């Protein structure tokens, strides 16, 4: 049972991290948070990780019930999420504003944020939709869609999901907390290449999510391919 618990916990970060792509999003995170002190950057990364943990756990445990309430099927969520992820990837792939943002940030004095600023800016747009977007929400709903009925299995499912989401949030924190170091290490050219590569991967992930949604709808309609 312990092996099954650990396998279920590991499955969550293995499934979600390629979609969340915190390493690829780290340069974008560094551009978005502005010119704040290193300690504030660490606090912001921690708050973003907490936000992402709560959103992923919420999607896994109540996401499917919300969809059932509104009569929305999971393939529809995948199609909608895939389109949004594709649009985000395409926009980032053709976005030339990051150099302008970095130049503007470098020319400013160190900003001081209030507690309210941390709450607001940590959620939008960094936590959502940059980190936890429609694709990862759809994947999280899929992971939590089949909740077992037996009490012991249900408790184990909750524990493994919480542990998996916590591991995922830890990776997000580590990547975002090291964002500035990563940008300094890569330099201007390396950062631009990483941003473009991340955008292309995001575009491909969106296409894959869309395709699985289409296959799901075809399966519901009784259409068999091949």
């Amino acid at each position: 049972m312990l092996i099954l618990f650990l396998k279920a916990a590991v499955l969550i970060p293995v499934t979600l991290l390629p979609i969340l792509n915190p390493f690829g999003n780290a340069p974008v995170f560094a551009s978005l948070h502005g010119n704040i002190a290193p300690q504030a950057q660490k606090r912001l990364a921690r708050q973003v990780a907490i936000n992402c943990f709560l959103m992923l756990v919420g999607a896994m445990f109540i996401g499917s019930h919300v969809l059932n309430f509104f009569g929305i099927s999971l393939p529809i969520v995948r199609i909608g999420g895939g389109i949004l992820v594709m649009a985000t990837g395409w926009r980032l792939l053709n976005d030339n504003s990051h150099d302008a943002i970095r130049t503007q940030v470098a020319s400013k004095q160190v900003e001081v944020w209030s507690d309210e600023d941390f709450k607001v800016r940590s959620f939008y747009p960094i936590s959502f939709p940059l980190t936890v977007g429609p694709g990862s929400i759809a994947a999280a709903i899929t992971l939590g869609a089949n909740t077992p009925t037996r009490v012991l299995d249900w408790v184990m499912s909750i524990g493994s999901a919480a542990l998996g989401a916590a591991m995922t949030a830890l990776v997000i924190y580590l990547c975002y907390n090291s964002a500035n170091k990563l940008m300094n290490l890569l330099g201007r050219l390396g950062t631009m290449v990483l941003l473009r590569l991340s955008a292309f991967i995001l575009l491909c992930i969106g296409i894959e999510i869309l395709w699985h949604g289409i296959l799901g709808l075809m399966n519901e309609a009784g259409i068999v391919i091949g």
Side-chain angles (χ1 to χ4, degrees), residues 47 87 147 152 161 171 184-185 190:
Q47 187 60 52
T147 305
L152 182 60
V171 175
N184 293 332
L185 180 65

Side-chain angles (χ1 to χ4, degrees), residues 25-203:
N25 288 333
V28 184
F29 169 80
S31 297
L32 288 175
H33 66 50
N35 194 22
I36 58 178
Q39 198 65 26
Q41 295 173 18
K42 184 176 182 179
R43 179 183 174 186
L44 180 63
R46 183 171 63 248
Q47 187 60 52
V48 169
I50 293 172
N51 292 344
C52 293
F53 170 79
L54 294 175
M55 284 191 288
L56 292 175
V57 170
M60 282 188 283
F61 289 119
I62 67 173
S64 58
H65 300 292
V66 173
L67 294 182
N68 290 334
F69 179 80
F70 289 103
I72 303 172
S73 66
L74 197 57
I76 294 295
V77 175
R78 289 198 182 107
I79 290 175
I83 293 173
L84 286 176
V85 172
M86 286 170 56
T88 302
W90 181 258
R91 186 174 66 251
L92 289 174
L93 196 60
N94 294 277
D95 187 13
N96 297 315
S97 63
H98 295 295
D99 286 337
I101 292 174
R102 292 184 66 192
T103 302
Q104 183 182 11
V105 166
S107 64
K108 288 184 177 181
Q109 296 180 347
V110 175
E111 300 178 29
V112 178
W113 289 5
S114 65
D115 291 339
E116 190 66 24
D117 287 332
F118 274 102
K119 292 178 183 178
V120 173
R121 299 193 189 190
S122 67
F123 182 77
Y124 182 85
I126 299 176
S127 297
F128 179 85
L130 173 64
T131 308
V132 178
S136 52
I137 289 176
I141 292 174
T142 304
L143 289 170
N146 299 317
T147 305
T149 54
R150 290 200 316 168
V151 176
L152 182 60
D153 293 339
W154 183 75
V155 172
M156 189 174 74
S157 175
I158 290 179
S160 61
L163 178 59
M167 293 167 60
T168 305
L170 177 61
V171 175
I172 293 171
Y173 168 74
L174 293 175
C175 290
Y176 285 1
N177 189 44
S178 305
N180 281 347
K181 295 179 182 178
L182 177 64
M183 290 183 69
N184 293 332
L185 180 65
L186 293 174
R188 182 176 179 181
L189 177 61
T191 301
M192 183 189 69
V193 171
L194 182 60
L195 282 170
R196 293 295 185 266
L197 182 61
S198 300
F200 178 71
I201 293 174
L202 192 64
L203 177 65

Side-chain angles (χ1 to χ4, degrees), residues 2-40:
L2 179 60
I3 294 176
L4 293 175
F5 176 86
L6 293 176
K7 282 184 178 179
V10 171
L11 176 65
I12 292 171
V14 167
T15 303
L16 294 178
L17 283 174
I19 305 175
L20 294 168
N21 192 22
F23 180 79
N25 288 333
V28 184
F29 169 80
S31 297
L32 288 175
H33 66 50
N35 194 22
I36 58 178
Q39 198 65 26

